[in-house]
Amino acid sequence: DVKVTQSSRYLVKRTGEKVFLECVQDMDHENMFWYRQDPGLGLRLIYFSYDVKMKEKGDIPEGYSVSREKKERFSLILESASTNQTSMYLCASSLARLYDSNQPQHFGDGTRLSIL
Amino acid sequence: QKEVEQDPGPLSVPEGAIVSLNCTYSNSAFQYFMWYRQYSRKGPELLMYTYSSGNKEDGRFTAQVDKSSKYISLFIRDSQPSDSATYLCAMYTSGTYKYIFGTGTRLKVLA
């Protein structure tokens, strides 16, 4: 089975802090994604990566950055946390390269982040 | 108009009922369709994955795609209290990173 592991289930930070969310997958997937999930808004794509050191902006990249130094690990960085970034953050991975026939995404259990 | 529409519910049914969950979409280019189950405070778990039109069955679950109507369904037979969760539909086109998700339907199966 695919395993996507997010380092923290719950996190509380203060406004202005730099926040790191870590995600690791064990299935050698090329693609990795970061979403945030908010009630009534569904899943919104923040960033994705289709290869090591490659990244592409999603629909809501403002205030976030990402890092992918190794294939299995994809980090989301909140440069200067703000209260409107309080949310559930979900990491996902999928097999196959960007412009081939993609496979479904597999998700981690999420990090519930509160910014005070 | 959203690309994918899904009734948020909640949908409450008695144990043993047949449940029908649905999504409509607007982009006829979508080729791959998925259903995810999400328990409270957990990530979405892939339930069903289908390509193009037709039916796919897996145990108590049946996924149905009608591309002509731009309508997909998930049927759950003999529903159990453990099926109580939020169900998300999702879809995408080959050659794109963009997976489009519905906002989810909350299902409650009453014992």
Side-chain angles (χ1 to χ4, degrees):
Chain A
D1 276 354
V2 176
K3 185 78 173 171
V4 179
T5 303
Q6 295 184 231
S7 55
S8 303
R9 293 296 306 279
Y10 301 94
L11 211 51
V12 179
K13 296 291 182 180
R14 298 207 173 273
T15 54
E17 280 193 70
K18 191 168 186 175
V19 181
F20 294 86
L21 303 183
E22 306 287 344
C23 175
V24 176
Q25 50 94 4
D26 66 357
M27 287 303 292
D28 204 34
H29 284 175
E30 288 85 0
N31 302 331
M32 295 189 76
F33 305 79
W34 276 107
Y35 293 88
R36 62 178 284 177
Q37 185 177 32
D38 300 288
L41 296 178
L43 276 76
R44 292 182 290 167
L45 181 65
I46 304 170
Y47 268 97
F48 79 101
S49 168
Y50 54 89
D51 205 346
V52 175
K53 297 194 185 294
M54 305 305 291
K55 60 185 179 185
E56 294 284 343
K57 291 179 180 179
D59 298 319
I60 52 163
E62 296 78 19
Y64 303 94
S65 62
V66 291
S67 171
R68 193 163 180 203
E69 296 296 319
K70 293 184 178 181
K71 190 174 186 179
E72 68 271 17
R73 186 179 296 269
F74 193 34
S75 302
L76 179 71
I77 303 151
L78 284 66
E79 298 290 344
S80 177
S82 64
T83 54
N84 63 11
Q85 293 178 309
T86 291
S87 187
M88 171 76 139
Y89 289 87
L90 289 164
C91 175
S93 71
S94 70
L95 190 62
R97 295 193 179 276
L98 180 64
Y99 293 107
D100 289 343
S101 174
N102 287 323
Q103 297 296 304
Q105 296 179 345
H106 298 266
F107 286 86
D109 273 339
T111 296
R112 191 167 291 275
L113 175 64
S114 296
I115 307 295
L116 305 178
Chain B
Q1 185 192 1
K2 290 181 182 177
E3 282 191 274
V4 177
E5 299 278 358
Q6 189 174 9
D7 189 322
L11 177 63
S12 293
V13 300
E15 183 175 357
I18 296 175
V19 175
S20 172
L21 303 166
N22 310 296
C23 286
T24 58
Y25 62 95
S26 57
N27 187 349
S28 58
F30 288 135
Q31 299 165 289
Y32 299 89
F33 303 90
M34 297 157 290
W35 285 95
Y36 288 87
R37 177 175 63 197
Q38 186 174 22
Y39 291 116
S40 181
R41 303 185 193 285
K42 302 278 275 184
E45 170 196 8
L46 182 65
L47 270 182
M48 301 289 283
Y49 170 56
T50 54
Y51 171 71
S52 196
S53 283
N55 292 0
K56 183 175 182 179
E57 190 173 318
D58 184 0
R60 295 186 295 113
F61 299 92
T62 300
Q64 192 173 79
V65 176
D66 182 349
K67 288 195 74 179
S68 61
S69 302
K70 299 194 189 74
Y71 190 86
I72 68 170
S73 300
L74 177 71
F75 298 97
I76 307 174
R77 289 183 298 281
D78 188 26
S79 56
Q80 303 295 311
S82 58
D83 295 326
S84 298
T86 297
Y87 289 80
L88 304 167
C89 63
M91 51 201 74
Y92 63 94
T93 306
S94 180
T96 177
Y97 69 88
K98 193 139 183 152
Y99 298 65
I100 308 298
F101 290 84
T103 51
T105 299
R106 196 161 144 226
L107 172 67
K108 294 181 181 179
V109 181
L110 306 171

